[in-house]
Amino acid sequence: MSPRGILAFVIRGGAPLLLFIIACTQIYLVSVWSLSPWKGGGFGMFSTIDSPSARFLRLYLIDGKKEIAIPVPDKLRRAAVDLCTFPTRPATLAVAEKIARATWIPYKLDSPVRYYRSLVAAQPGNDAHEDFTSAVVSLDKGSLDFGSTLLQMVETDGRGSRPEDAVGFDRARVELWRYTLDRQSSQLVALKLWDVTVSRAAE
Amino acid sequence: MTIARRIGYPSTDASTPDPLHIGPLDLSPLELSVDLTLLLLLLYSSPIWYVRIPITILVILAFLHRSLRLAATFWFVVTAIVLAGNLMAWYSVDNHKHLMAYWCLAIALSLIADKPNEILVSNARMLIGLTFLFAFFWKIVSPDFRSGSFFEYSLLFDDRFRFFAGTFGGQIEPVTKVNRAALTALTSYDSQLHSVRIIQSGGILVLGTVITYLSLTLEGLVAVTFLVPAFGRVRVFGRVRDACLLAFVVSTYSIATVVGFGWTLIIMGIAQCPTRWRTTRVLYLVSFVMLQVYRLPWRELLKWK
């Protein structure tokens, strides 16, 4: 084909050809790499329940035989969404390693007023050294009952002391699930796609 | 030959009406598409800052400096920015952002062609046809779409379908509340559940099946009517393709108000619609506006009445 012919082809068919190539690539990625059909340029939205929002993570800290379920921390929310959209083993491992490297402490609730007063009291030169720390309610001991331990992630840079109430664990597990609708039984059914367990790094 | 002559820009003789009185129907497909695409890019380009800000600046420049609208270089730059944004977040960006990129590329390529309008018409038809072909493909191969499960699920859990589920499916609020609690329980971070039972009325099952077949039929028709004439000299389907596309846009985007997608389809529809079919062009423009009307909070407004 002459250069003029190639140019004419590109002008006439370049955009549709690009759509075709990307859409075919998306079909491959969905079939082989579990990309959500809703994404990737294949126009599979509204064709299946299996959208990124129908996939979810279950995260665990493991200490021997004991397992503690943890919510997705804010710092990992973007990574979790990406993982649900395009779940790959390296991405799952990356999330699991971040969880394993972090320090986990029980969630604490505090009244904004008491928190403010405690900060003011802690200012140098302030005479009012009233101890407000007792005003902080730990969810472990307080009146709020979630039915399970609610932990929050604290990232440390390795310097300084570890918080006293840090939860001990030796492994972290990330499970990727998706749900679907079983018409026959009128149930939403959760199916595990895979899970990854990593050891906590030695301190 | 200047671009103005190539696209059939009105000549400046005595019979030419005052430019201020040239309406959208007097514009060539390329000119009208370009104007509407600029509006699309201004309002619905991308939430990513390194796409949104440069595109907004470029669109403003094009509105201020009219010659940019029909400059191929301008559209190649716009395409490059939109494509780059899509590439950086390729697996998370919505599908219509990909379609917008292809459309910008089609405009850019048509502006370097000898017959810009003809190239734009051909590209618009192929892009619409291929979009619906792949959409139809995914629906056909998806077991939960074919079985009706997808639309049942959407009627039960997707807020956008709540009105339909309540009005035509007999789904009542207390039942919706239980179903949502079930879903939350299943996906909660500390859940050990593998399944939860949901409640659905018989009307939901029927409505889900009806919507499934209607959408399959309509999308299949759009794919066929736009692709077949594009690959042959046979002039079939004529106004049928526009009717199918308009029916799809008006019905679908009244529920799933993804205006960026709807506008992109309408702009491509206008681009490939012959200028002598004024009524069809008017209908496209009306639907362009209707998609914004759909965004009004009708549920709250009607409750208030």
Side-chain angles (χ1 to χ4, degrees):
Chain A
M1 201 188 272
S2 66
R4 195 176 172 80
I6 293 172
L7 181 63
F9 174 78
V10 167
I11 287 173
R12 186 168 278 277
L17 182 63
L18 187 61
L19 183 159
F20 185 82
I21 291 170
I22 289 176
C24 288
T25 305
Q26 188 255 7
I27 293 173
Y28 165 74
L29 290 170
V30 170
S31 311
V32 178
W33 294 97
S34 301
L35 172 68
S36 170
W38 281 62
K39 299 288 185 179
F43 305 103
M45 64 284 173
F46 293 100
S47 68
T48 173
I49 296 170
D50 189 21
S51 66
S53 58
R55 296 178 179 183
F56 56 99
L57 300 181
R58 286 181 180 169
L59 312 176
Y60 299 93
L61 302 178
I62 304 167
D63 182 22
K65 288 189 180 172
K66 185 180 161 197
E67 293 186 350
I68 307 170
I70 48 174
V72 177
D74 288 341
K75 286 176 180 141
L76 295 181
R77 205 159 288 282
R78 181 72 242 173
V81 169
D82 287 347
L83 189 55
C84 289
T85 304
F86 189 31
T88 62
R89 288 251 170 211
T92 317
L93 263 172
V95 169
E97 280 165 4
K98 280 191 178 138
I99 291 169
R101 265 203 304 272
T103 300
W104 293 84
I105 59 175
Y107 227 96
K108 291 184 173 63
L109 273 185
D110 191 12
S111 147
V113 174
R114 283 191 288 225
Y115 178 61
Y116 158 69
R117 285 180 178 164
S118 71
L119 288 179
V120 168
Q123 294 301 309
N126 196 324
D127 289 335
H129 289 300
E130 198 176 335
D131 178 15
F132 287 100
T133 55
S134 59
V136 172
V137 174
S138 162
L139 287 179
D140 255 359
K141 305 169 200 164
S143 57
L144 292 171
D145 181 12
F146 285 92
S148 60
T149 310
L150 194 59
L151 300 179
Q152 61 175 332
M153 184 171 101
V154 176
E155 281 180 294
T156 61
D157 55 5
R159 291 176 292 182
S161 59
R162 203 156 158 259
E164 281 180 8
D165 51 356
V167 170
F169 63 98
D170 48 45
R171 282 169 297 154
R173 187 169 75 241
V174 173
E175 296 179 353
L176 176 63
W177 294 71
R178 73 173 182 92
Y179 63 79
T180 188
L181 174 63
D182 183 339
R183 248 184 152 200
Q184 306 293 336
S185 59
S186 290
Q187 289 188 357
L188 286 176
V189 178
L191 306 160
K192 185 157 64 169
L193 293 178
W194 63 52
D195 63 68
V196 160
T197 304
V198 299
S199 299
R200 183 176 171 78
E203 292 176 18
Chain B
M1 192 188 287
T2 64
I3 182 64
R5 289 284 299 277
R6 281 188 282 135
I7 65 170
Y9 199 84
S11 61
T12 53
D13 61 26
S15 62
T16 306
D18 183 342
L20 287 176
H21 293 107
I22 293 176
L25 297 179
D26 301 310
L27 297 173
S28 69
L30 180 57
E31 285 178 286
L32 185 54
S33 307
V34 155
D35 282 345
L36 294 177
T37 306
L38 286 173
L39 197 57
L40 171 71
L41 289 168
L42 187 67
L43 296 177
Y44 298 107
S45 63
S46 172
I48 308 170
W49 67 266
Y50 50 81
V51 175
R52 184 164 195 83
I53 294 174
I55 290 292
T56 302
I57 292 170
L58 285 169
V59 169
I60 291 170
L61 287 174
F63 279 132
L64 293 175
H65 195 50
R66 302 288 279 169
S67 61
L68 279 178
R69 292 159 59 233
L70 298 174
T73 309
F74 171 83
W75 284 101
F76 277 116
V77 171
V78 166
T79 303
I81 295 170
V82 177
L83 273 175
N86 289 350
L87 193 64
M88 298 291 282
W90 68 269
Y91 58 81
S92 61
V93 88
D94 288 335
N95 287 303
H96 65 278
K97 300 290 193 275
H98 291 279
L99 188 59
M100 280 165 61
Y102 307 142
W103 179 238
C104 291
L105 178 61
I107 292 176
L109 289 171
S110 68
L111 286 168
I112 60 174
D114 291 333
K115 295 178 182 175
N117 283 316
E118 189 181 298
I119 296 297
L120 198 70
V121 167
S122 166
N123 270 265
R125 287 188 184 151
M126 281 198 277
L127 287 174
I128 293 171
L130 286 172
T131 298
F132 280 85
L133 179 68
F134 281 102
F136 184 79
F137 165 79
W138 276 114
K139 288 170 172 67
I140 284 292
V141 302
S142 166
D144 51 1
F145 189 90
R146 290 196 314 265
S147 67
S149 299
F150 170 72
F151 274 117
E152 276 176 49
Y153 167 81
S154 299
L155 286 164
L156 292 172
F157 293 100
D158 192 329
D159 269 339
R160 293 171 293 190
F161 290 86
R162 196 186 269 197
F163 172 77
F164 274 80
T167 308
F168 302 109
Q171 195 77 355
I172 56 176
E173 266 315 299
V175 169
T176 301
K177 210 170 166 181
V178 169
N179 287 337
R180 280 166 199 256
L183 177 57
T184 304
L186 182 68
T187 57
S188 174
Y189 78 95
D190 62 344
S191 174
Q192 305 270 329
L193 299 172
H194 286 213
S195 65
V196 288
R197 192 166 288 281
I198 55 167
I199 308 167
Q200 49 185 324
S201 63
I204 290 289
L205 296 173
V206 172
L207 189 57
T209 305
V210 168
I211 299 176
T212 296
Y213 284 109
L214 277 177
S215 67
L216 256 182
T217 305
L218 193 49
E219 291 189 24
L221 274 175
V222 174
V224 167
T225 55
F226 274 86
L227 280 177
V228 168
F231 289 108
R233 289 181 177 272
V234 181
R235 293 185 187 280
V236 296
F237 299 129
R239 292 175 199 263
V240 173
R241 72 170 78 91
D242 295 301
C244 291
L245 181 61
L246 281 165
F248 174 83
V249 164
V250 166
S251 59
T252 301
Y253 296 105
S254 64
I255 305 168
T257 48
V258 187
V259 178
F261 212 146
W263 271 15
T264 308
L265 291 174
I266 291 169
I267 293 168
M268 292 193 292
I270 289 176
Q272 57 80 48
C273 179
T275 47
R276 63 185 183 279
W277 294 357
R278 291 177 78 89
T279 305
T280 310
R281 293 184 103 205
V282 166
L283 288 173
Y284 274 119
L285 290 172
V286 167
S287 63
F288 192 82
V289 175
M290 279 304 295
L291 260 55
Q292 290 296 335
V293 174
Y294 286 155
R295 295 180 67 209
L296 286 168
W298 289 108
R299 261 184 286 165
E300 282 71 25
L301 289 172
L302 289 171
K303 269 188 207 162
W304 178 76
K305 279 197 93 159

